[in-house]
Amino acid sequence: DHLPRVDLALYPDYVERYYCGERASSWSALQKSGGVIRTFLSGDAKVRAVQSPNAIGLSCSADDAESVRRLVEELHAHCGVWLSWALSAELLDDAAAATVAARDVAVRETLRDHEAAAGERFMGADVANRLSRAMAGPLANGADLRAEPPCWRPK
């Protein structure tokens, strides 16, 4: 998935740019292909609320080399598309960047807390909290380690 960074209902051009077109058709076809590649849709409405319209969870048997190849190929294509978007994104002014950054942190905090609570049943509180913090990345409260900001900005 590539989480939206804006309220999609308010920005139809954003939806068109990032969630329509050839990649969306490819992801849709892969979801509907059935067979040994299985799709997953979270039963938790709180998780679905932060996912994009194209959220896709796929799995297959690790013993099925062809299905694993297809999933890896799809992952590479998805990452390539995302990287091209990152490199071509228009920079935001400082006020808009601060608003988006605050929203990103709030979404990551919500997901971190949800994943920690969900993971406690299976892994115990210590492991679930450590993994959920790692997935969320650095947060605004400074409780997590922060990486130095990049010294370049995409064009």
Side-chain angles (χ1 to χ4, degrees), residues 11-110:
Y11 296 93
D13 291 344
Y14 186 96
V15 174
E16 183 68 33
R17 179 173 181 180
Y18 296 110
Y19 298 111
C20 297
E22 182 182 330
R23 291 304 311 150
S25 297
S26 174
W27 293 322
S28 180
L30 193 58
Q31 281 182 305
K32 294 174 185 173
S33 67
V36 295
I37 295 180
R38 297 173 300 280
T39 60
F40 171 77
L41 177 63
S42 176
D44 189 321
K46 290 181 270 184
V47 172
R48 290 192 316 270
V50 297
Q51 292 177 323
S52 79
N54 293 346
I56 184 171
L58 300 170
S59 66
C60 69
S61 169
D63 296 330
D64 182 346
E66 177 57 21
S67 293
V68 170
R69 184 198 64 73
R70 284 181 61 204
L71 289 180
V72 169
E73 183 179 277
E74 204 52 43
L75 176 63
H76 280 273
H78 180 79
C79 290
V81 168
W82 184 87
L83 286 170
S84 74
W85 291 336
L87 291 172
S88 66
E90 294 179 26
L91 294 180
L92 301 172
D93 63 46
D94 289 342
T99 299
V100 170
R103 180 190 183 280
D104 288 351
V105 167
V107 168
R108 291 194 341 254
E109 287 174 339
T110 298

